Amino acid sequence: MNQARIYTNIKSLYGITANLPRNKAGREMKEFDHLDSAWLLISEHGTIKNFGPMNSVPEFSGTTIDCSGKLILPCFVDSHTHLIHAGSRENEFVDRIKGLSYEQIANKGGGILNSASKLHLSTEDELFEASYERLNKAISLGTGAIEIKSGYGLSLEGELKILRVAHRLKSVSPIPIKVTFLGAHALPMAYKNNREQYINLIINEIIPAIAAEKLADYIDVFCETNYFSVSEMEQLLDCGWKYNLKPKVHVNQFNSIGGIKSAINKKAISVDHLEIMTPDDFEALKNSNTIPVALPACSFFIKIPYAPARQLIDCGLPLTLASDYNPGSSPCLSMPFVVSLACISMGLLPEEAFNASTLNGAAALELQNEYGSIEIGKKANFMISKAVPSLNYLPYSFAENWIDSVVISGK
Ligand code: NIG
Ligand code: FE
């Protein structure tokens, strides 16, 4: 058990919510509620016990931490990552500098299939060690809850391998991990002339096997031209529901092919990417409970359009931001950078970007009752900034490390 402790003289305590068991949408996202000159009391169970203004600071005999000049904010919740992979793909990065596109690189054997070949040559232990290191790096960058996808296995053994690594990470991780099965990430070469066979393998063998070992919470599909069609996604999501795997899907990264509407019909928790959006896609989202997730680091890195995040918020939606960390399109674990990019390249206000990456991220992982904001009873997962002039300074000072320390479950 921890010791109770109090943080005092906090310049501003941000991300406060009171009885808000949901995310923020539209206009509400402009409010990242805060208290200036505050104290924050953490219980011995690692939860938030209370907070208030310094003129009413309680008598306290335990550890006291002075936060003069510093801000406290809830940790980020990174709701979309491909954290477990083997090796890296910096040669593809150089190919892009030389003029090839992400799609051209995939067509010549790079891309997801390149990572799948590397994963097949790695042991579970090697994958575990490498991803454990990445997890700790993410935490040091302020991430206090995370989602991890499979999708580099692309066979029964491969997907079980990557999901077992995720399971092992979960058992040692100080932060909560939600796991997503992404068997339909790319079509393996061996099925090039028989797509149906791969879909059947996922439905008849892989999903039942991972459900039997309880290895995943969600199911994902890369619904995109040259990857998986809308009707293939629908078959897979229907099968997922039979095994209690809720959908969170990759849609509209390069083309709008109807994936958003179909995912909404299949009661997807979230639709992620959204770089290419039609008016119909907006309409479908406006009439749904599905959460739109934007991934600006991917747009930045492979130079594709940014999701229309400003417009999504302006039409009242609960925009969410995540890193999309992966070795091909976003080798970036830094949520502070994602927040800066959202402000710089998507026109979000700092308050909107922080709501999108904390409380709204938690909702995209169904963790909003315990994570994502400063609220009595929630887990004490928060970041303490260095001494900074204001909240606006954080995204403004992009590529600078403004985090002084990260507290996870009160530690
Ligand atoms: O979200 N677009 C599909 N999946 C990843 C990229 C995976 C990779 O290139 O390895 C993404 O961008
Ligand atoms: Fe992704």
Side-chain angles (χ1 to χ4, degrees):
M1 211 177 277
N2 299 351
Q3 262 189 340
R5 63 172 90 165
I6 193 165
Y7 295 81
T8 57
N9 296 314
I10 305 162
K11 183 180 167 108
S12 299
L13 175 63
Y14 272 98
I16 298 171
T17 55
N19 300 319
L20 185 70
R22 58 169 180 89
N23 49 13
K24 288 193 174 186
R27 253 186 267 251
E28 297 176 315
M29 290 181 68
K30 283 199 174 64
E31 305 302 330
F32 191 46
D33 294 303
H34 71 282
L35 199 57
D36 292 330
S37 186
W39 53 270
L40 174 64
L41 181 65
I42 304 308
S43 78
E44 65 273 31
H45 308 292
T47 56
I48 295 168
K49 193 160 182 187
N50 209 347
F51 55 85
M54 279 308 287
N55 58 22
S56 71
V57 65
E59 293 266 337
F60 185 73
S61 56
T63 310
T64 301
I65 296 151
D66 180 76
C67 294
S68 294
K70 301 173 177 179
L71 313 180
I72 287 188
L73 304 88
C75 273
F76 297 113
V77 177
D78 192 351
S79 67
H80 182 139
T81 85
H82 306 248
L83 192 81
I84 305 171
H85 61 86
S88 48
R89 306 212 314 255
E90 65 278 16
N91 295 344
E92 296 179 10
F93 166 66
V94 174
D95 283 344
R96 266 195 309 279
I97 296 172
K98 291 178 181 163
L100 293 187
S101 69
Y102 181 82
E103 268 167 307
Q104 285 167 326
I105 291 165
N107 290 340
K108 68 170 194 133
I112 297 164
L113 294 182
N114 183 0
S115 285
S117 313
K118 290 185 161 84
L119 187 117
H120 279 265
L121 300 173
S122 305
T123 64
E124 254 179 66
D125 284 343
E126 288 165 346
L127 287 168
F128 174 80
E129 293 303 331
S131 30
Y132 185 61
E133 206 173 301
R134 282 178 210 127
L135 179 69
N136 285 318
K137 197 191 277 183
I139 295 170
S140 72
L141 290 163
T143 295
I146 198 166
E147 183 256 18
I148 301 177
K149 299 175 192 298
S150 67
Y152 294 122
L154 307 182
S155 66
L156 177 63
E157 312 71 56
E159 286 296 306
L160 283 174
K161 176 156 82 176
I162 188 167
L163 289 168
R164 284 178 185 141
V165 172
H167 200 68
R168 205 167 139 194
L169 276 179
K170 229 173 159 165
S171 69
V172 294
S173 172
I175 65 170
I177 297 177
K178 288 278 184 120
V179 180
T180 303
F181 166 62
L182 176 55
H185 197 191
L187 188 72
M189 278 301 178
Y191 297 87
K192 208 174 161 196
N193 299 313
N194 199 347
R195 313 180 52 83
E196 222 185 301
Q197 210 183 342
Y198 186 58
I199 303 291
N200 289 338
L201 174 76
I202 296 180
I203 290 177
N204 299 325
E205 297 185 42
I206 308 185
I207 293 180
I210 64 170
E213 284 189 45
K214 293 193 171 44
L215 291 177
D217 305 291
Y218 301 108
I219 181 167
D220 192 348
V221 173
F222 186 16
C223 181
E224 182 58 63
T225 309
N226 294 331
Y227 291 85
F228 294 91
S229 70
V230 171
S231 78
E232 287 167 340
M233 175 173 80
E234 288 173 343
Q235 283 181 65
L236 292 164
L237 299 190
D238 285 342
C239 176
W241 272 116
K242 284 193 196 133
Y243 291 88
N244 220 1
L245 301 174
K246 299 178 187 173
K248 285 173 75 68
V249 293
H250 283 72
V251 286
N252 293 46
Q253 183 175 9
F254 302 110
N255 300 282
S256 174
I257 59 171
I260 293 184
K261 202 167 176 189
S262 145
I264 289 169
N265 285 337
K266 297 295 174 197
K267 304 215 174 335
I269 299 286
S270 72
V271 284
D272 302 31
H273 272 289
L274 316 180
E275 287 86 344
I276 306 297
M277 295 278 287
T278 65
D280 281 354
D281 293 326
F282 272 92
E283 277 316 303
L285 271 171
K286 277 198 252 176
N287 297 310
S288 80
N289 292 320
T290 297
I291 296 168
V293 181
L295 310 167
C298 169
S299 297
F300 173 80
F301 190 67
I302 62 170
K303 296 194 276 190
I304 60 172
Y306 286 86
R310 179 74 266 151
Q311 292 90 313
L312 288 162
I313 294 177
D314 290 344
C315 64
L317 291 165
L319 182 90
T320 299
L321 290 167
S323 71
D324 194 19
Y325 171 82
N326 76 76
S329 71
S330 181
C332 168
L333 282 170
S334 171
M335 288 299 285
F337 181 65
V338 168
V339 163
S340 285
L341 260 186
C343 296
I344 297 163
S345 299
M346 291 173 151
L348 266 62
L349 294 169
E351 291 84 354
E352 292 173 321
F354 279 110
N355 276 317
S357 54
T358 58
L359 184 63
N360 287 8
L365 295 182
E366 301 176 288
L367 290 172
Q368 70 278 8
N369 291 330
E370 273 187 292
Y371 298 89
S373 67
I374 303 294
E375 184 166 333
I376 295 173
K378 278 194 175 182
K379 278 272 149 55
N381 280 18
F382 55 84
M383 311 178 251
I384 306 173
S385 78
K386 293 180 176 159
V388 291
S390 66
L391 182 79
N392 292 344
Y393 184 86
L394 307 183
Y396 155 88
S397 62
F398 83 101
E400 194 181 294
N401 181 13
W402 47 258
I403 298 177
D404 174 75
S405 47
V406 179
V407 176
I408 300 295
S409 293
K411 288 189 192 144

